[in-house]
Amino acid sequence: MIEPIGNQYIVARPVYSANAFGEEHKKKQRHHKTFLDHLTVCCSCSTQKAKKIALSLFPIASWLPAYQIKEWLLSDIVSGISTGLVAVLQGLAFALLVTVPPSYGLYAAFFPILVYFFLGTSKHISVGPFPVLSMMVGAIVVKVTPSDSTAALEISNSSMSNYSSTDEYKVMVAATVTVLSGIIQLLMGVLRFGFVVIYLSESLISGFTTAAAVHVLVSQLKFMLQLSVPAHTDPFSIFKVLNSVFTQIEKTNIADLVTSLIILLIVFVVKEINQRYKAKLPVPIPIELIMTVIATGVSYGFDFENRFKVAVVGEMNRGFQPPIAPDMQIFQETLGDSFGIAIVGFMVAFSVASVYSLKYDYPIDGNQELIALGLSNIFTGSFKGFAASTALSRSGVQESTGGKTQIAGILSAIIVLIVILALGFLLEPLQKSVLAALALGNLKGMLMQFTEIRRLWRKDKYDCLIWIMTFIFAIVLGLGLGLAASVAFQLLTIVFRTQFPKCSTLANVGRSNIYKNKKDYSDMHEPEGVKIFRCPAPIYFANIQFFKQKLIDAVGFNPLQILRKRNKALKKIRKLQKKGLLQVTPKGFIYTNDGFKDSDDEMDNNEIEELDQPINTTDLPFQIDWNTDFPLNISVPKISLHSLILDFSAVSFLDISSMRGLKTILQEFIRINVDVYIVGSDDDFIEKLAQCEFFDDEVKDSIFFLTIHDAVLHIWMKKDYNVSKFNPSQEKEMKFDFTINTNGGLRNRECQVPDETKF
């Protein structure tokens, strides 16, 4: 019964152990579905289920019929044009990261949008090239493509012999990797592996993208300075590239350097204006488009290519090229790297899509996103594009300019199509250093994530450590190996958190039924002779010894050592009684001879095993109080603890190894007359223990209680404390008063048990 009184409440109910609660409140008989039941449901078919599957595979069928033309069309048109112009420039710029001719970046900006329009679940992301993904594809292209010095030797016995130029082979490598990563994404989506993204934490994503931004920055230096820098893909490659740049710094093309620096400065300033005044600006200032038009006109008008020997975009392929089949040999060489690209591409797209889905309150499906991105990459790779995901800046433009649906996305694809078919030649005089500067201009947000370190350090040091180590791994090992090492390290931190949990000793707060860490509050009261220990993590093979040590530290003694000393003392007492040196009197027992000496020689394993057994005093004509003072050289530590409560409310599971260890711990305490109780455990937890034959004559299933306070009240009643007449001012201590005779005798004079509870 619960009776509210103002802002307080009074609860009147029995003290419940788990068994008592189960007897009074019968559990429902529930049928747990088997694998066969799930398989039957999965394979069943109905009209409603078929419709649901069709709508999930083609989300456009859900949102397009509900499209509000009058309210949304104009916004989508404005957004589509703005996003399309940005997509053109980013496609050209990110193609440099892939080390393929810039015109192929337009294919990567066009084809993914077509597929995602029909299959994607997000209404706001702009699918296409992403700098981190382009960098990862470029690293594979560089690794697979032979360098100029070795190409002549390898061309005869490699798949490169089928291509007329190195650029054509690079395009094939990028396309093959894109198709392979798309296949991986498609398979993951079909197999419902969309949950894999949960293993990539926000800290890992932030640290990885920041490191990728640094890689992009370093990779663009050769275009900004127009230096011939050899490609490196092995660990420490970023340092090798920097070494090559600085050793050739005197060969810098001043025109390219000055142009790129001016572009960078203007882009950063205008982007800051867009961010600061986004509430007042109707649309963000399209600074990338403006600078591209100006830079192209200046380069063409002043003939920068011939006068200053700058590197320009050059010939732009007009129209589309026929689709190609991926190279199976490249498939074999790039399988592992393609898996990393598939994961990163999905991770970025799903993260951005999640932000907009929460903001505008509509659902997204991770598995369907995998299918959409997978088919987008397969389609794009077949037409010589490279891997796509979503760029944060481009999606931001689509959303901030009023985009409501993927109609804006398809309109942006039309803008890219116009450039591919008709306007591409106008960009031929554009300097590559300008594209490099525009690519770096999109990295400001990722580079600014360095400021996350301080925030993460204040919130969670483990998350901060994940960020730092992810950044270091990605910088030193490269993006592919760095991502794998980062995920492994992140999982390792989870092991550390559970292997070394922050266990605590609880006490009563304000003489209520609330129990908290006794170090955290001042008005704390521990029940006398009772220790309450909380473990806030699962108990398994890796942390059972840590749990035991923390428990020993909390109670202040090792129960196994106490048990062994008591059994050893019992052996000596039996010897004294056998020799007739121990006399029993109504007031206790008296030792009559102080000349007896016993050996303390080192014991063998069999003797140690005997000392580990339960204490048995049934053969003695008297009871032994182990907290008294013993004569002679019989030394047994005194302990005031009579009850131990283990709070397992946060323990979600135990494995077989930890069950054995836990049972041993409980037995050691029980054998020294310390009652052990476990509280807060789930019913499934107790059932699993029963199935594993955890309980026996020593460790019984009656040790489980619903709450800490239930266990405390049970202890009070068991010790015959008067709970109903609690008066803290009349506290009395439990006293065992013994006197020692001059001849070494031990006599029990009186034993007083208090009739009131006390803290």
Side-chain angles (χ1 to χ4, degrees):
M1 181 183 71
I2 302 178
E3 182 180 347
I5 304 176
N7 65 343
Q8 300 180 344
Y9 63 88
I10 298 175
V11 179
R13 66 168 178 82
V15 174
Y16 280 128
S17 66
N19 288 344
F21 185 83
E23 291 173 0
E24 185 171 332
H25 303 277
K26 299 299 182 182
K27 291 183 66 175
K28 293 181 179 179
Q29 293 295 327
R30 293 188 300 160
H31 172 68
H32 296 280
K33 290 185 177 180
T34 63
F35 174 75
L36 186 61
D37 294 330
H38 288 289
L39 189 62
T40 303
V41 173
C42 183
C43 296
S44 63
C45 187
S46 64
T47 305
Q48 186 177 3
K49 185 175 181 180
K51 181 180 178 181
K52 182 179 179 181
I53 293 174
L55 290 176
S56 66
L57 288 176
F58 297 95
I60 188 175
S62 299
W63 62 263
L64 190 58
Y67 188 80
Q68 302 175 22
I69 297 178
K70 293 182 179 180
E71 289 82 2
W72 294 350
L73 183 58
L74 181 60
S75 298
D76 278 341
I77 291 175
V78 174
S79 175
I81 294 173
S82 303
T83 307
L85 295 173
V86 174
V88 169
L89 301 176
Q90 290 188 349
L92 295 173
F94 298 157
L96 299 181
L97 300 175
V98 188
T99 68
V100 297
S103 59
Y104 290 94
L106 297 178
Y107 303 151
F110 174 73
F111 288 109
I113 301 175
L114 302 181
V115 178
Y116 194 85
F117 177 74
F118 294 98
L119 303 178
T121 59
S122 175
K123 299 177 183 179
H124 293 90
I125 68 171
S126 174
V127 182
F130 177 58
V132 174
L133 218 58
S134 301
M135 187 73 193
M136 295 178 73
V137 176
I140 300 173
V141 171
V142 169
K143 181 173 68 174
V144 175
T145 305
S147 61
D148 294 337
S149 59
T150 60
L153 298 175
E154 298 182 3
I155 194 170
S156 59
N157 38 353
S158 72
S159 60
M160 189 177 173
S161 59
N162 300 324
Y163 305 97
S164 57
S165 67
T166 302
D167 281 346
E168 192 174 334
Y169 183 70
K170 288 182 176 180
V171 170
M172 171 54 76
V173 173
T176 301
V177 168
T178 300
V179 171
L180 182 54
S181 63
I183 292 173
I184 294 171
Q185 288 175 330
L186 179 60
L187 289 176
M188 291 175 64
V190 171
L191 297 175
R192 320 303 288 176
F193 275 15
F195 66 87
V196 72
V197 75
I198 66 177
Y199 293 104
L200 304 174
S201 67
E202 180 183 345
S203 302
L204 186 146
I205 295 172
S206 176
F208 181 78
T209 53
T210 305
V214 176
H215 274 283
V216 173
L217 172 62
V218 172
S219 68
Q220 296 302 289
L221 290 178
K222 64 179 180 180
F223 297 108
M224 296 175 64
L225 305 177
Q226 201 189 128
L227 300 176
S228 178
V229 178
H232 300 280
T233 59
D234 53 335
F236 303 98
S237 60
I238 191 171
F239 304 107
K240 296 176 182 178
V241 171
L242 287 173
N243 181 63
S244 298
V245 168
F246 287 118
T247 54
Q248 304 178 60
I249 197 72
E250 72 279 357
K251 300 178 183 178
T252 299
N253 187 301
I254 302 301
D256 272 326
L257 177 61
V258 172
T259 303
S260 58
L261 290 178
I262 293 174
I263 297 290
L264 263 180
L265 178 62
I266 296 175
V267 168
F268 278 154
V269 170
V270 176
K271 280 184 174 291
E272 185 64 29
I273 294 173
N274 285 339
Q275 180 65 27
R276 184 165 298 183
Y277 299 101
K278 62 181 179 180
K280 298 181 179 180
L281 293 172
V283 294
I285 301 172
I287 187 59
E288 291 95 342
L289 174 63
I290 295 172
M291 298 311 299
T292 300
V293 172
I294 295 174
T296 303
V298 171
S299 177
Y300 177 77
F302 291 94
D303 194 15
F304 276 16
E305 182 180 10
N306 294 319
R307 291 182 61 185
F308 302 108
K309 307 301 179 184
V310 300
V312 296
V313 170
E315 183 180 357
M316 296 280 290
N317 296 327
R318 180 171 296 187
F320 297 100
Q321 299 193 20
I324 57 173
D327 191 314
M328 298 308 297
Q329 183 176 341
I330 299 175
F331 258 29
Q332 299 173 11
E333 296 179 19
T334 61
L335 180 60
D337 296 315
S338 298
F339 184 80
I341 289 173
I343 295 296
V344 172
F346 171 59
M347 168 189 74
V348 173
F350 188 78
S351 299
V352 177
S354 298
V355 171
Y356 291 124
S357 71
L358 292 174
K359 183 176 181 179
Y360 293 100
D361 192 23
Y362 61 85
I364 58 172
D365 184 349
N367 295 308
Q368 182 61 26
E369 286 295 295
L370 274 170
I371 293 173
L373 291 171
L375 289 174
S376 296
N377 281 324
I378 293 172
F379 194 52
T380 302
S382 300
F383 284 91
K384 298 187 178 181
F386 49 85
S389 178
T390 182
L392 282 69
S393 57
R394 192 171 61 249
S395 296
V397 169
Q398 180 166 317
E399 185 264 343
S400 62
T401 52
K404 304 296 183 184
T405 65
Q406 282 299 329
I407 293 291
I410 206 70
L411 291 173
S412 69
I414 293 174
I415 300 298
V416 179
L417 178 64
I418 293 172
V419 175
I420 293 174
L421 296 178
L423 303 179
F425 72 95
L426 296 176
L427 297 173
E428 292 178 356
L430 182 64
Q431 296 170 245
K432 288 185 177 180
S433 60
V434 173
L435 293 177
L438 292 176
L440 295 182
N442 289 295
L443 301 179
K444 180 185 177 184
M446 290 189 284
L447 290 172
M448 288 301 293
Q449 292 183 81
F450 275 113
T451 58
E452 287 285 291
I453 297 178
R454 181 178 297 179
R455 180 182 67 84
L456 289 174
W457 182 260
R458 289 197 300 265
K459 289 187 174 181
D460 190 318
K461 293 180 174 57
Y462 272 109
D463 279 344
C464 184
L465 184 61
I466 290 172
W467 195 102
I468 293 172
M469 294 309 298
T470 299
F471 180 81
I472 293 174
F473 286 146
I475 289 291
V476 175
L477 301 179
L479 297 179
L481 287 175
L483 177 63
S486 301
V487 172
F489 180 80
Q490 177 184 249
L491 296 177
L492 195 61
T493 62
I494 297 174
V495 174
F496 284 153
R497 295 189 198 207
T498 57
Q499 187 174 355
F500 306 106
K502 294 183 178 179
C503 300
S504 57
T505 302
L506 307 184
N508 184 274
V509 181
R511 304 187 188 280
S512 64
N513 65 338
I514 299 172
Y515 294 83
K516 294 287 187 180
N517 190 334
K518 69 177 186 180
K519 297 180 180 179
D520 292 342
Y521 298 89
S522 57
D523 187 19
M524 305 295 287
H525 308 277
E526 281 192 280
E528 182 186 1
V530 179
K531 188 68 70 173
I532 306 170
F533 182 78
R534 183 175 188 270
C535 179
I539 301 177
Y540 60 105
F541 66 93
N543 70 355
I544 183 63
Q545 293 302 322
F546 179 83
F547 168 80
K548 180 178 181 180
Q549 187 57 51
K550 285 294 183 181
L551 181 57
I552 290 173
D553 294 341
V555 299
F557 59 86
N558 188 329
L560 182 58
Q561 292 179 0
I562 300 294
L563 177 63
R564 288 177 176 176
K565 290 184 177 182
R566 287 186 179 182
N567 270 322
K568 192 173 181 181
L570 188 61
K571 289 179 66 177
K572 293 182 179 181
I573 291 174
R574 285 195 177 100
K575 288 182 181 180
L576 292 173
Q577 185 193 19
K578 188 175 181 181
K579 292 179 179 291
L581 302 177
L582 193 67
Q583 297 180 1
V584 181
T585 67
K587 294 186 177 181
F589 55 87
I590 301 175
Y591 175 60
T592 59
N593 188 352
D594 59 356
F596 176 79
K597 292 185 179 180
D598 194 22
S599 172
D600 283 329
D601 295 340
E602 184 176 347
M603 296 175 292
D604 58 24
N605 292 334
N606 291 332
E607 291 176 316
I608 293 176
E609 288 181 4
E610 289 180 8
L611 297 182
D612 292 346
Q613 299 305 310
I615 297 173
N616 184 9
T617 60
T618 56
D619 59 325
L620 296 176
F622 49 83
Q623 294 295 322
I624 300 177
D625 180 3
W626 295 106
N627 283 332
T628 190
D629 293 324
F630 288 89
L632 298 175
N633 59 345
I634 300 178
S635 174
V636 179
K638 300 177 183 179
I639 59 172
S640 60
L641 185 71
H642 58 71
S643 300
L644 173 64
I645 299 175
L646 301 178
D647 181 6
F648 276 12
S649 57
V651 177
S652 55
F653 70 89
L654 285 85
D655 62 2
I656 298 297
S657 300
S658 63
M659 282 185 192
R660 296 194 191 100
L662 178 62
K663 185 171 183 177
T664 300
I665 294 171
L666 299 186
Q667 288 174 334
E668 291 172 359
F669 278 102
I670 292 171
R671 289 172 182 176
I672 61 172
N673 300 325
V674 175
D675 297 328
V676 182
Y677 304 93
I678 298 177
V679 302
S681 297
D682 187 76
D683 291 345
D684 294 335
F685 180 91
I686 302 174
E687 289 174 7
K688 182 178 180 181
L689 293 180
Q691 292 170 1
C692 296
E693 300 179 352
F694 183 82
F695 304 111
D696 55 22
D697 293 337
E698 280 188 292
V699 181
K700 302 177 181 179
D701 60 359
S702 59
I703 65 175
F704 289 92
F705 282 78
L706 298 190
T707 67
I708 298 175
H709 205 57
D710 281 310
V712 171
L713 293 177
H714 171 79
I715 293 168
W716 288 347
M717 291 185 292
K718 184 177 180 181
K719 298 299 179 183
D720 198 24
Y721 290 0
N722 188 346
V723 192
S724 60
K725 297 181 180 179
F726 172 73
N727 185 351
S729 63
Q730 297 179 356
E731 292 185 5
K732 298 180 181 179
E733 296 182 357
M734 183 181 294
K735 297 181 180 179
F736 295 91
D737 192 2
F738 292 90
T739 60
I740 302 177
N741 294 343
T742 55
N743 60 357
L746 179 66
R747 180 174 298 169
N748 186 343
R749 190 168 66 185
E750 75 176 327
C751 176
Q752 296 177 343
V753 180
D755 60 353
E756 296 178 355
T757 63
K758 47 191 182 298
F759 292 95

